Amino acid sequence: MKPAPLRILLVEDDELFRLGLYMRLQQEPGIEVVAEATDGETAVELANQYPLDVVLLDVGLPGIGGVEACRRIKEQHSQLPILVLTSHSQKPLIERLIAAGAQGYCLKGIEAEVLILALRSVAAGASWWDQTVTAEIRAAFAANPPSDAKSSEVLINPLTQREQEILALIAAGKSNQEIAELLYITIGTVRVHVHAILQKLEVRDRTQAAVLAIQKDLVAAELLAKH
């Protein structure tokens, strides 16, 4: 029995770009674009009408705009992951997207395979931040740390709670299969989380991730103590 396809709401006001995205995503096995919108208001309405697994949202929309659309969708569907796609990478915009509840951020021009991996990642509960953007944020915040404690915490430790749990198990020497069994998730979901962890920490392998987790206190002591 085949798993249910990943149901996507595609929100993009550029007709040609949206058509290109739609055609590429529809070609991918296990992905289905169930609805399309060209502005923020319509995106919010469609999110209420369709059962969705992830929203792919352009930030530069007419009307209320992508950031406000993201905020409104998350208000009504707190568990629905939103992946933002845009050509801009300014730090204030990233801060607003984090505050609005976006799970990830990709720059336009991203390779289709990477975009599909990002969609699958956020749908599985991971977060996805473009590598170039993440490097820019780190550099900017190193030069000018934010005064808001919560915002600082998000950016100093970019890992979600689930990613911290998996990193703790990696640090304990567990295999992907063992992690899947311990957390009652599929091995494919573990792989998605591990990929996101390696990308966000900018390390090559699990060993480096485990070392960094301990050095930088990226995993809560109680999580490490469990394993």
Side-chain angles (χ1 to χ4, degrees), residues 90-190:
Q90 296 96 334
K91 183 169 74 73
L93 176 60
I94 306 298
E95 292 174 325
R96 289 170 63 208
L97 288 171
I98 291 171
Q103 265 71 32
Y105 181 102
C106 291
L107 293 178
K108 286 186 176 178
I110 186 175
E111 293 180 9
E113 291 74 15
V114 180
L115 176 59
I116 287 161
L117 180 59
L119 284 166
R120 293 192 189 281
S121 295
V122 297
S127 55
W128 186 286
W129 301 95
D130 182 271
Q131 201 165 15
T132 305
V133 174
T134 303
E136 289 174 1
I137 292 171
R138 283 181 177 162
F141 274 81
N144 184 24
S147 56
D148 180 77
K150 184 177 180 185
S151 165
S152 174
E153 181 184 345
V154 168
L155 290 160
I156 289 170
N157 186 352
L159 303 181
T160 65
Q161 181 65 31
R162 177 61 98 186
E163 289 164 357
Q164 289 183 48
E165 289 173 353
I166 289 175
L167 185 53
L169 290 165
I170 290 172
K174 304 294 184 185
S175 68
N176 283 357
Q177 183 64 50
E178 289 171 322
I179 293 171
E181 291 170 1
L182 285 164
L183 297 180
Y184 303 102
I185 56 179
T186 67
I187 193 167
T189 300
V190 175

Side-chain angles (χ1 to χ4, degrees), residues 13 15-16 32 40 43 55 78 85-86 95 102 107 158 162 175 208:
D13 66 318
E15 187 174 354
L16 287 176
E32 180 185 359
V55 178
S78 60
L85 186 64
T86 182
E95 292 174 325
L107 293 178
R162 177 61 98 186
S175 68
Q208 288 187 346

Side-chain angles (χ1 to χ4, degrees), residues 1-108:
M1 184 177 176
K2 286 186 177 180
L6 201 63
R7 299 162 299 185
I8 294 175
L9 167 60
L10 174 58
V11 189
E12 168 61 58
D13 66 318
D14 184 313
E15 187 174 354
L16 287 176
F17 188 72
R18 188 179 71 257
L19 179 61
L21 276 176
Y22 175 86
M23 292 178 67
R24 178 62 185 87
L25 291 173
Q26 287 291 94
Q27 291 172 359
E28 188 68 20
I31 286 182
E32 180 185 359
V33 179
V34 297
E36 298 175 72
T38 58
D39 60 70
E41 289 89 346
T42 305
V44 175
E45 291 173 10
L46 291 174
N48 290 328
Q49 293 175 22
Y50 290 88
L52 300 168
D53 297 304
V54 62
V55 178
L56 181 57
L57 178 73
D58 177 31
V59 78
L61 295 171
I64 61 173
V67 175
E68 178 62 16
C70 177
R71 188 187 66 77
R72 291 189 189 181
I73 291 171
K74 293 297 287 188
E75 273 184 355
Q76 298 174 49
H77 309 277
S78 60
Q79 301 303 312
L80 178 59
I82 297 178
L83 179 68
V84 173
L85 186 64
T86 182
S87 54
H88 304 292
S89 61
Q90 296 96 334
K91 183 169 74 73
L93 176 60
I94 306 298
E95 292 174 325
R96 289 170 63 208
L97 288 171
I98 291 171
Q103 265 71 32
Y105 181 102
C106 291
L107 293 178
K108 286 186 176 178

